[in-house]
Structures are given as C-alpha cells and as structure tokens.
Short mmCIF file of all heavy atoms in Angstrom, two decimals:
data_model
loop_
_atom_site.label_atom_id
_atom_site.label_comp_id
_atom_site.label_asym_id
_atom_site.label_seq_id
_atom_site.Cartn_x
_atom_site.Cartn_y
_atom_site.Cartn_z
N MET A 180 81.53 67.50 132.30
CA MET A 180 82.87 67.10 132.63
C MET A 180 83.83 67.64 131.59
O MET A 180 83.57 67.55 130.43
CB MET A 180 83.04 65.62 132.70
CG MET A 180 82.35 64.90 133.78
SD MET A 180 82.74 63.19 133.78
CE MET A 180 83.61 63.05 135.30
N ARG A 181 84.88 68.19 132.08
CA ARG A 181 85.98 68.72 131.20
C ARG A 181 87.03 67.63 131.02
O ARG A 181 87.39 66.97 131.99
CB ARG A 181 86.58 69.90 131.78
CG ARG A 181 85.66 71.17 131.67
CD ARG A 181 86.30 72.40 132.29
NE ARG A 181 87.68 72.50 132.07
CZ ARG A 181 88.47 73.25 132.79
NH1 ARG A 181 88.01 74.00 133.81
NH2 ARG A 181 89.81 73.29 132.52
N PRO A 182 87.59 67.47 129.77
CA PRO A 182 88.66 66.53 129.66
C PRO A 182 89.90 66.99 130.49
O PRO A 182 90.17 68.18 130.57
CB PRO A 182 88.97 66.52 128.15
CG PRO A 182 88.22 67.67 127.60
CD PRO A 182 87.23 68.14 128.55
N THR A 183 90.61 66.03 131.03
CA THR A 183 91.71 66.31 131.86
C THR A 183 92.96 66.53 130.95
O THR A 183 93.28 65.70 130.08
CB THR A 183 92.01 65.22 132.83
OG1 THR A 183 90.83 64.93 133.49
CG2 THR A 183 93.14 65.54 133.77
N ALA A 184 93.62 67.67 131.11
CA ALA A 184 94.74 67.96 130.30
C ALA A 184 95.90 67.04 130.62
O ALA A 184 96.14 66.77 131.80
CB ALA A 184 95.17 69.45 130.47
N GLY A 185 96.66 66.62 129.62
CA GLY A 185 97.89 65.85 129.84
C GLY A 185 97.61 64.34 129.83
O GLY A 185 98.61 63.58 129.81
N LEU A 186 96.43 63.85 129.83
CA LEU A 186 96.15 62.42 129.71
C LEU A 186 95.99 62.02 128.25
O LEU A 186 95.27 62.68 127.52
CB LEU A 186 94.89 62.01 130.51
CG LEU A 186 94.93 62.23 132.04
CD1 LEU A 186 93.64 61.85 132.60
CD2 LEU A 186 96.02 61.30 132.59
N PRO A 187 96.67 60.99 127.83
CA PRO A 187 96.56 60.60 126.45
C PRO A 187 95.20 59.89 126.19
O PRO A 187 94.61 59.30 127.11
CB PRO A 187 97.70 59.56 126.28
CG PRO A 187 97.89 59.03 127.65
CD PRO A 187 97.62 60.16 128.61
N ALA A 188 94.78 60.02 124.96
CA ALA A 188 93.49 59.38 124.56
C ALA A 188 93.86 57.87 124.33
O ALA A 188 94.84 57.55 123.77
CB ALA A 188 92.96 59.98 123.26
N VAL A 189 92.94 57.03 124.85
CA VAL A 189 93.14 55.62 124.79
C VAL A 189 92.05 55.03 123.87
O VAL A 189 90.90 55.26 124.08
CB VAL A 189 93.11 54.92 126.17
CG1 VAL A 189 93.21 53.38 126.03
CG2 VAL A 189 94.18 55.51 127.08
N ALA A 190 92.48 54.29 122.81
CA ALA A 190 91.51 53.65 121.93
C ALA A 190 90.96 52.41 122.58
O ALA A 190 91.73 51.58 123.12
CB ALA A 190 92.16 53.32 120.56
N LEU A 191 89.65 52.30 122.56
CA LEU A 191 89.03 51.07 123.18
C LEU A 191 89.12 50.00 122.09
O LEU A 191 88.97 50.18 120.90
CB LEU A 191 87.62 51.39 123.51
CG LEU A 191 87.39 52.43 124.61
CD1 LEU A 191 85.85 52.69 124.78
CD2 LEU A 191 88.01 51.91 125.87
N PRO A 192 89.31 48.73 122.55
CA PRO A 192 89.38 47.66 121.58
C PRO A 192 87.97 47.36 121.01
O PRO A 192 86.97 47.62 121.62
CB PRO A 192 89.86 46.47 122.45
CG PRO A 192 89.50 46.81 123.86
CD PRO A 192 89.52 48.30 123.92
N SER A 193 87.97 46.74 119.84
CA SER A 193 86.65 46.30 119.23
C SER A 193 86.08 45.23 120.10
O SER A 193 86.73 44.55 120.86
CB SER A 193 86.93 45.89 117.83
OG SER A 193 87.64 44.71 117.75
N VAL A 194 84.84 44.95 119.86
CA VAL A 194 84.12 43.83 120.53
C VAL A 194 84.80 42.50 120.17
O VAL A 194 85.04 41.66 121.04
CB VAL A 194 82.66 43.86 120.21
CG1 VAL A 194 81.92 42.58 120.72
CG2 VAL A 194 81.95 45.10 120.69
N GLY A 195 85.09 42.32 118.86
CA GLY A 195 85.77 41.14 118.39
C GLY A 195 87.12 40.94 119.13
O GLY A 195 87.44 39.83 119.55
N THR A 196 87.88 41.94 119.22
CA THR A 196 89.21 41.84 119.92
C THR A 196 88.95 41.46 121.35
O THR A 196 89.66 40.64 121.91
CB THR A 196 89.96 43.21 119.80
OG1 THR A 196 90.14 43.46 118.42
CG2 THR A 196 91.31 43.13 120.45
N ALA A 197 88.01 42.12 122.02
CA ALA A 197 87.79 41.84 123.43
C ALA A 197 87.38 40.40 123.64
O ALA A 197 87.75 39.73 124.54
CB ALA A 197 86.71 42.82 123.94
N LEU A 198 86.50 39.92 122.68
CA LEU A 198 86.09 38.53 122.78
C LEU A 198 87.22 37.61 122.54
O LEU A 198 87.34 36.53 123.30
CB LEU A 198 84.99 38.21 121.78
CG LEU A 198 83.58 38.86 122.08
CD1 LEU A 198 82.65 38.65 120.96
CD2 LEU A 198 83.04 38.33 123.37
N ARG A 199 88.12 37.84 121.67
CA ARG A 199 89.28 36.99 121.44
C ARG A 199 90.19 36.94 122.67
O ARG A 199 90.78 35.91 123.03
CB ARG A 199 90.06 37.42 120.21
CG ARG A 199 89.45 36.87 118.92
CD ARG A 199 90.35 37.13 117.73
NE ARG A 199 90.36 38.57 117.36
CZ ARG A 199 89.47 39.19 116.68
NH1 ARG A 199 88.45 38.57 116.22
NH2 ARG A 199 89.64 40.46 116.39
N VAL A 200 90.30 38.10 123.38
CA VAL A 200 91.16 38.16 124.53
C VAL A 200 90.56 37.31 125.66
O VAL A 200 91.22 36.46 126.25
CB VAL A 200 91.32 39.61 125.00
CG1 VAL A 200 91.99 39.68 126.40
CG2 VAL A 200 92.20 40.41 124.06
N VAL A 201 89.24 37.41 125.86
CA VAL A 201 88.50 36.63 126.88
C VAL A 201 88.67 35.11 126.51
O VAL A 201 88.94 34.29 127.40
CB VAL A 201 87.10 37.04 127.03
CG1 VAL A 201 86.28 36.08 127.89
CG2 VAL A 201 86.98 38.43 127.57
N GLU A 202 88.45 34.81 125.20
CA GLU A 202 88.58 33.47 124.76
C GLU A 202 89.94 32.91 125.03
O GLU A 202 90.07 31.77 125.55
CB GLU A 202 88.29 33.34 123.31
CG GLU A 202 88.39 32.01 122.67
CD GLU A 202 88.24 32.03 121.13
OE1 GLU A 202 88.96 32.82 120.54
OE2 GLU A 202 87.39 31.30 120.66
N SER A 203 90.95 33.65 124.80
CA SER A 203 92.33 33.15 124.99
C SER A 203 92.59 32.96 126.48
O SER A 203 93.40 32.07 126.84
CB SER A 203 93.34 34.10 124.36
OG SER A 203 93.37 35.31 125.13
N LEU A 204 91.98 33.72 127.32
CA LEU A 204 92.19 33.55 128.74
C LEU A 204 91.48 32.29 129.29
O LEU A 204 91.90 31.65 130.21
CB LEU A 204 91.73 34.80 129.54
CG LEU A 204 92.55 36.05 129.30
CD1 LEU A 204 91.91 37.22 129.99
CD2 LEU A 204 93.97 35.89 129.83
N LEU A 205 90.29 32.03 128.72
CA LEU A 205 89.44 30.96 129.30
C LEU A 205 89.67 29.61 128.64
O LEU A 205 89.48 28.59 129.27
CB LEU A 205 87.95 31.32 129.06
CG LEU A 205 87.49 32.61 129.86
CD1 LEU A 205 86.01 32.86 129.53
CD2 LEU A 205 87.69 32.39 131.37
N LEU A 206 90.06 29.60 127.36
CA LEU A 206 90.20 28.31 126.68
C LEU A 206 91.65 27.99 126.39
O LEU A 206 92.48 28.85 126.20
CB LEU A 206 89.49 28.44 125.29
CG LEU A 206 87.96 28.79 125.40
CD1 LEU A 206 87.39 28.90 123.99
CD2 LEU A 206 87.27 27.68 126.13
N SER A 207 91.95 26.69 126.37
CA SER A 207 93.23 26.24 125.98
C SER A 207 93.44 26.38 124.46
O SER A 207 92.46 26.58 123.76
CB SER A 207 93.48 24.81 126.40
OG SER A 207 92.65 23.98 125.61
N GLY A 208 94.65 26.26 123.96
CA GLY A 208 94.89 26.41 122.59
C GLY A 208 94.12 25.53 121.67
O GLY A 208 93.58 25.91 120.64
N GLY A 209 93.93 24.26 122.12
CA GLY A 209 93.19 23.32 121.20
C GLY A 209 91.70 23.67 121.13
O GLY A 209 91.17 23.60 120.06
N GLN A 210 91.13 24.16 122.24
CA GLN A 210 89.75 24.53 122.11
C GLN A 210 89.56 25.77 121.32
O GLN A 210 88.55 25.87 120.58
CB GLN A 210 89.19 24.82 123.56
CG GLN A 210 88.99 23.48 124.39
CD GLN A 210 88.66 23.81 125.82
OE1 GLN A 210 89.13 24.79 126.43
NE2 GLN A 210 87.75 23.07 126.34
N ARG A 211 90.52 26.67 121.44
CA ARG A 211 90.42 27.93 120.64
C ARG A 211 90.55 27.55 119.16
O ARG A 211 89.72 28.13 118.30
CB ARG A 211 91.63 28.77 120.99
CG ARG A 211 91.28 30.27 121.05
CD ARG A 211 92.45 31.08 121.59
NE ARG A 211 93.17 30.40 122.65
CZ ARG A 211 94.43 30.46 122.86
NH1 ARG A 211 95.18 31.20 122.09
NH2 ARG A 211 95.00 29.82 123.81
N THR A 212 91.41 26.71 118.80
CA THR A 212 91.53 26.27 117.36
C THR A 212 90.30 25.61 116.88
O THR A 212 89.86 25.87 115.79
CB THR A 212 92.79 25.34 117.18
OG1 THR A 212 93.93 26.04 117.61
CG2 THR A 212 92.95 24.91 115.77
N ALA A 213 89.75 24.71 117.72
CA ALA A 213 88.54 23.98 117.34
C ALA A 213 87.44 25.00 117.11
O ALA A 213 86.63 24.87 116.23
CB ALA A 213 88.13 23.00 118.42
N ARG A 214 87.24 25.98 117.98
CA ARG A 214 86.14 26.97 117.80
C ARG A 214 86.38 27.81 116.58
O ARG A 214 85.44 28.03 115.89
CB ARG A 214 86.14 27.87 119.09
CG ARG A 214 85.06 28.85 119.07
CD ARG A 214 85.03 29.68 120.30
NE ARG A 214 84.73 28.73 121.38
CZ ARG A 214 83.81 28.94 122.36
NH1 ARG A 214 83.12 30.01 122.30
NH2 ARG A 214 83.59 28.07 123.25
N ARG A 215 87.62 28.21 116.33
CA ARG A 215 87.92 28.97 115.11
C ARG A 215 87.64 28.17 113.86
O ARG A 215 87.04 28.66 112.88
CB ARG A 215 89.43 29.43 115.12
CG ARG A 215 89.63 30.66 114.34
CD ARG A 215 91.03 31.21 114.50
NE ARG A 215 91.22 31.67 115.87
CZ ARG A 215 92.15 31.27 116.67
NH1 ARG A 215 93.04 30.33 116.31
NH2 ARG A 215 92.32 31.77 117.89
N ASN A 216 88.01 26.89 113.85
CA ASN A 216 87.75 26.01 112.73
C ASN A 216 86.22 25.79 112.52
O ASN A 216 85.77 25.80 111.40
CB ASN A 216 88.44 24.66 112.93
CG ASN A 216 89.90 24.75 112.79
OD1 ASN A 216 90.49 25.72 112.33
ND2 ASN A 216 90.62 23.72 113.25
N ALA A 217 85.53 25.66 113.61
CA ALA A 217 84.04 25.50 113.55
C ALA A 217 83.45 26.76 112.86
O ALA A 217 82.54 26.67 112.04
CB ALA A 217 83.47 25.24 114.89
N TRP A 218 83.88 27.93 113.37
CA TRP A 218 83.33 29.14 112.79
C TRP A 218 83.62 29.27 111.29
O TRP A 218 82.79 29.71 110.48
CB TRP A 218 83.80 30.35 113.58
CG TRP A 218 83.32 31.71 113.02
CD1 TRP A 218 84.04 32.65 112.46
CD2 TRP A 218 81.96 32.09 112.95
NE1 TRP A 218 83.18 33.73 112.07
CE2 TRP A 218 81.87 33.32 112.36
CE3 TRP A 218 80.73 31.49 113.33
CZ2 TRP A 218 80.67 34.03 112.10
CZ3 TRP A 218 79.53 32.17 113.17
CH2 TRP A 218 79.53 33.40 112.54
N THR A 219 84.84 28.94 110.92
CA THR A 219 85.23 28.97 109.51
C THR A 219 84.38 27.99 108.73
O THR A 219 83.92 28.35 107.60
CB THR A 219 86.71 28.57 109.35
OG1 THR A 219 87.55 29.48 110.10
CG2 THR A 219 87.19 28.55 107.90
N ALA A 220 84.04 26.86 109.27
CA ALA A 220 83.16 25.90 108.56
C ALA A 220 81.79 26.45 108.39
O ALA A 220 81.14 26.30 107.34
CB ALA A 220 83.10 24.58 109.35
N VAL A 221 81.28 27.15 109.42
CA VAL A 221 79.94 27.77 109.31
C VAL A 221 79.95 28.84 108.20
O VAL A 221 79.02 28.95 107.42
CB VAL A 221 79.54 28.41 110.72
CG1 VAL A 221 78.39 29.38 110.54
CG2 VAL A 221 79.24 27.37 111.72
N GLN A 222 80.99 29.67 108.17
CA GLN A 222 81.01 30.68 107.12
C GLN A 222 81.10 30.03 105.75
O GLN A 222 80.41 30.54 104.81
CB GLN A 222 82.27 31.56 107.38
CG GLN A 222 82.10 32.46 108.57
CD GLN A 222 83.33 33.27 108.88
OE1 GLN A 222 84.50 32.70 108.77
NE2 GLN A 222 83.15 34.51 109.26
N GLU A 223 81.83 28.98 105.64
CA GLU A 223 81.99 28.30 104.34
C GLU A 223 80.62 27.68 103.93
O GLU A 223 80.20 27.74 102.77
CB GLU A 223 83.00 27.21 104.38
CG GLU A 223 83.40 26.56 103.05
CD GLU A 223 83.85 27.54 101.98
OE1 GLU A 223 84.38 28.59 102.26
OE2 GLU A 223 83.65 27.10 100.82
N ASP A 224 79.90 27.09 104.90
CA ASP A 224 78.57 26.50 104.59
C ASP A 224 77.63 27.59 104.14
O ASP A 224 76.81 27.42 103.21
CB ASP A 224 77.99 25.84 105.85
CG ASP A 224 78.67 24.51 106.14
OD1 ASP A 224 79.37 23.94 105.26
OD2 ASP A 224 78.50 24.01 107.24
N ARG A 225 77.64 28.78 104.75
CA ARG A 225 76.78 29.90 104.35
C ARG A 225 77.13 30.37 102.94
O ARG A 225 76.23 30.63 102.14
CB ARG A 225 76.91 31.05 105.34
CG ARG A 225 76.30 30.75 106.65
CD ARG A 225 76.54 31.90 107.65
NE ARG A 225 75.93 31.60 108.90
CZ ARG A 225 76.13 32.34 109.96
NH1 ARG A 225 76.82 33.48 109.95
NH2 ARG A 225 75.47 32.03 111.09
N ARG A 226 78.46 30.36 102.57
CA ARG A 226 78.85 30.81 101.26
C ARG A 226 78.33 29.77 100.27
O ARG A 226 77.80 30.17 99.20
CB ARG A 226 80.34 30.93 101.16
CG ARG A 226 80.83 31.50 99.82
CD ARG A 226 82.31 31.27 99.63
NE ARG A 226 82.73 29.87 99.60
CZ ARG A 226 82.51 29.05 98.51
NH1 ARG A 226 81.86 29.44 97.44
NH2 ARG A 226 82.89 27.77 98.62
N ARG A 227 78.48 28.46 100.55
CA ARG A 227 77.98 27.47 99.59
C ARG A 227 76.47 27.54 99.41
O ARG A 227 75.94 27.35 98.36
CB ARG A 227 78.36 26.06 100.09
CG ARG A 227 79.84 25.76 99.74
CD ARG A 227 80.18 24.23 99.93
NE ARG A 227 79.93 23.81 101.24
CZ ARG A 227 80.93 23.74 102.18
NH1 ARG A 227 82.17 24.05 101.90
NH2 ARG A 227 80.66 23.35 103.38
N ALA A 228 75.74 27.81 100.54
CA ALA A 228 74.28 27.97 100.45
C ALA A 228 73.92 29.14 99.56
O ALA A 228 72.98 28.98 98.69
CB ALA A 228 73.72 28.16 101.84
N ARG A 229 74.63 30.26 99.66
CA ARG A 229 74.32 31.39 98.75
C ARG A 229 74.63 31.01 97.29
O ARG A 229 73.83 31.35 96.43
CB ARG A 229 75.18 32.60 99.20
CG ARG A 229 74.71 33.34 100.40
CD ARG A 229 75.43 34.62 100.61
NE ARG A 229 76.85 34.53 100.74
CZ ARG A 229 77.54 34.38 101.84
NH1 ARG A 229 76.84 34.34 102.97
NH2 ARG A 229 78.87 34.25 101.82
N ASP A 230 75.72 30.30 97.15
CA ASP A 230 76.06 29.85 95.75
C ASP A 230 74.92 28.96 95.15
O ASP A 230 74.64 29.03 94.01
CB ASP A 230 77.37 29.19 95.71
CG ASP A 230 78.56 30.10 95.92
OD1 ASP A 230 78.37 31.36 95.91
OD2 ASP A 230 79.67 29.64 96.15
N ARG A 231 74.44 28.03 96.01
CA ARG A 231 73.41 27.15 95.53
C ARG A 231 72.11 27.89 95.13
O ARG A 231 71.48 27.62 94.15
CB ARG A 231 73.04 26.07 96.63
CG ARG A 231 73.99 24.91 96.73
CD ARG A 231 73.42 23.75 97.54
NE ARG A 231 73.15 24.20 98.90
CZ ARG A 231 73.99 24.23 99.94
NH1 ARG A 231 75.28 23.89 99.70
NH2 ARG A 231 73.64 24.63 101.11
N VAL A 232 71.77 28.88 95.98
CA VAL A 232 70.57 29.63 95.70
C VAL A 232 70.73 30.43 94.36
O VAL A 232 69.85 30.45 93.51
CB VAL A 232 70.24 30.60 96.83
CG1 VAL A 232 69.20 31.62 96.50
CG2 VAL A 232 69.83 29.82 98.07
N GLU A 233 71.97 30.99 94.20
CA GLU A 233 72.19 31.74 92.99
C GLU A 233 72.13 30.83 91.77
O GLU A 233 71.55 31.13 90.70
CB GLU A 233 73.55 32.41 93.06
CG GLU A 233 73.91 33.24 91.83
CD GLU A 233 75.26 33.88 91.95
OE1 GLU A 233 75.78 34.05 93.03
OE2 GLU A 233 75.81 34.28 90.89
N ALA A 234 72.79 29.60 91.87
CA ALA A 234 72.67 28.67 90.78
C ALA A 234 71.30 28.25 90.45
O ALA A 234 70.92 28.04 89.31
CB ALA A 234 73.60 27.42 91.12
N GLN A 235 70.46 28.01 91.49
CA GLN A 235 69.09 27.64 91.31
C GLN A 235 68.31 28.69 90.53
O GLN A 235 67.56 28.39 89.63
CB GLN A 235 68.40 27.41 92.69
CG GLN A 235 66.96 26.90 92.50
CD GLN A 235 66.91 25.50 91.87
OE1 GLN A 235 67.72 24.69 92.08
NE2 GLN A 235 65.85 25.33 91.11
N HIS A 236 68.54 29.98 90.88
CA HIS A 236 67.89 31.08 90.17
C HIS A 236 68.33 31.13 88.71
O HIS A 236 67.47 31.37 87.86
CB HIS A 236 68.28 32.39 90.84
CG HIS A 236 67.61 32.54 92.14
ND1 HIS A 236 67.46 33.82 92.78
CD2 HIS A 236 67.07 31.66 93.06
CE1 HIS A 236 66.78 33.65 93.96
NE2 HIS A 236 66.56 32.31 94.13
N VAL A 237 69.56 30.89 88.41
CA VAL A 237 70.05 30.89 87.05
C VAL A 237 69.37 29.72 86.27
O VAL A 237 68.94 29.93 85.16
CB VAL A 237 71.60 30.75 87.02
CG1 VAL A 237 72.10 30.49 85.60
CG2 VAL A 237 72.26 32.02 87.53
N LEU A 238 69.37 28.50 86.87
CA LEU A 238 68.78 27.39 86.23
C LEU A 238 67.28 27.61 85.92
O LEU A 238 66.75 27.28 84.87
CB LEU A 238 69.00 26.20 87.06
CG LEU A 238 70.39 25.62 87.09
CD1 LEU A 238 70.45 24.46 88.11
CD2 LEU A 238 70.84 25.17 85.71
N GLU A 239 66.61 28.25 86.90
CA GLU A 239 65.17 28.52 86.70
C GLU A 239 64.96 29.55 85.56
O GLU A 239 64.05 29.44 84.73
CB GLU A 239 64.51 29.06 88.02
CG GLU A 239 64.38 27.98 89.05
CD GLU A 239 63.95 28.45 90.45
OE1 GLU A 239 63.88 29.75 90.52
OE2 GLU A 239 63.74 27.65 91.26
N ALA A 240 65.81 30.56 85.51
CA ALA A 240 65.73 31.59 84.44
C ALA A 240 66.01 30.93 83.09
O ALA A 240 65.24 31.22 82.12
CB ALA A 240 66.67 32.69 84.74
N VAL A 241 66.96 30.13 83.01
CA VAL A 241 67.29 29.42 81.71
C VAL A 241 66.19 28.50 81.35
O VAL A 241 65.76 28.42 80.19
CB VAL A 241 68.67 28.68 81.84
CG1 VAL A 241 68.89 27.77 80.62
CG2 VAL A 241 69.80 29.67 82.01
N SER A 242 65.60 27.81 82.34
CA SER A 242 64.46 26.84 82.05
C SER A 242 63.28 27.62 81.59
O SER A 242 62.63 27.15 80.63
CB SER A 242 64.19 26.13 83.37
OG SER A 242 63.04 25.31 83.17
N ASP A 243 62.98 28.75 82.16
CA ASP A 243 61.81 29.51 81.71
C ASP A 243 62.05 30.04 80.32
O ASP A 243 61.12 30.00 79.50
CB ASP A 243 61.56 30.73 82.62
CG ASP A 243 61.04 30.33 83.99
OD1 ASP A 243 60.59 29.16 84.14
OD2 ASP A 243 61.09 31.12 84.98
N ARG A 244 63.24 30.47 80.00
CA ARG A 244 63.54 30.98 78.69
C ARG A 244 63.41 29.92 77.61
O ARG A 244 62.88 30.11 76.56
CB ARG A 244 64.91 31.61 78.70
CG ARG A 244 65.15 32.59 77.53
CD ARG A 244 66.49 33.31 77.61
NE ARG A 244 66.72 33.77 78.92
CZ ARG A 244 67.97 33.81 79.47
NH1 ARG A 244 68.98 33.33 78.81
NH2 ARG A 244 68.17 34.21 80.68
N THR A 245 63.92 28.72 77.88
CA THR A 245 63.92 27.63 76.88
C THR A 245 62.52 27.04 76.72
O THR A 245 62.14 26.65 75.64
CB THR A 245 64.90 26.49 77.26
OG1 THR A 245 64.63 26.02 78.54
CG2 THR A 245 66.35 27.00 77.17
N SER A 246 61.73 27.05 77.78
CA SER A 246 60.39 26.45 77.63
C SER A 246 59.49 27.41 76.90
O SER A 246 58.60 26.94 76.13
CB SER A 246 59.78 26.15 79.05
OG SER A 246 59.56 27.45 79.75
N ARG A 247 59.68 28.69 76.91
CA ARG A 247 58.93 29.63 76.08
C ARG A 247 59.33 29.58 74.61
O ARG A 247 58.58 29.83 73.74
CB ARG A 247 59.08 31.03 76.63
CG ARG A 247 58.29 31.30 77.87
CD ARG A 247 58.31 32.78 78.25
NE ARG A 247 58.65 32.86 79.65
CZ ARG A 247 59.39 33.71 80.17
NH1 ARG A 247 60.09 34.56 79.48
NH2 ARG A 247 59.66 33.68 81.49
N ALA A 248 60.62 29.24 74.37
CA ALA A 248 61.11 29.26 73.01
C ALA A 248 60.66 28.02 72.23
O ALA A 248 60.62 28.00 71.05
CB ALA A 248 62.64 29.29 73.02
N THR A 249 60.24 26.98 72.90
CA THR A 249 59.83 25.74 72.14
C THR A 249 58.35 25.75 71.91
O THR A 249 57.52 26.39 72.43
CB THR A 249 60.15 24.44 72.95
OG1 THR A 249 59.67 24.48 74.27
CG2 THR A 249 61.69 24.36 72.94
#
C-alpha cells in the first residue's frame, strides 16, 4: 500500500490516554477520583515496601559487621 498524498499523519493516543478516555465516559467523577486515589495508594504502598526491604538489608549488613567485630 502506498501512503495517500495530502492526508496528514495522525498520532495515535497512548494506551494510558485511551484508558482514561474510556474511564471518563463510563464512570462518574466520584468513581474516577476514587479509582485514581486507590491507584495512588497502591503505588505508595509499593514504595514503602521497597523502603522497608532496603532498610532491612542495611540493618542486616550493620548487624553482620558489628557481630564480627566483637
């Protein structure tokens, strides 16, 4: 197939943008806000979990170092 001359190129929306458009059509404002808040909470929980794992590794490393020194 040859491109048709004179037709402008159209950028396709990202998947995220398409999902937000569908969400806005299907859900009322309150539900949309609740869903967005829930997703933000999930992301924050994941960040805290990563921080806990990192802190645990640091504590274990310090504990190993101090137990060998005594």
Side-chain angles (χ1 to χ4, degrees):
M180 293 184 115
R181 288 179 36 200
T183 307
L186 291 179
V189 177
L191 296 176
S193 69
V194 173
T196 301
L198 288 174
R199 278 189 291 278
V200 169
V201 170
E202 178 187 53
S203 69
L204 293 172
L205 297 178
L206 300 177
S207 69
Q210 288 174 321
R211 220 174 322 146
T212 301
R214 183 176 296 230
R215 202 171 296 122
N216 289 346
W218 179 243
T219 300
V221 167
Q222 290 175 320
E223 185 62 22
D224 286 346
R225 289 176 180 173
R226 185 194 61 77
R227 281 194 298 266
R229 283 191 302 270
D230 289 348
R231 279 193 302 275
V232 168
E233 182 180 339
Q235 183 66 34
H236 289 198
V237 170
L238 290 172
E239 288 172 357
V241 169
S242 174
D243 288 345
R244 200 174 314 141
T245 57
S246 65
R247 282 190 228 135
T249 55

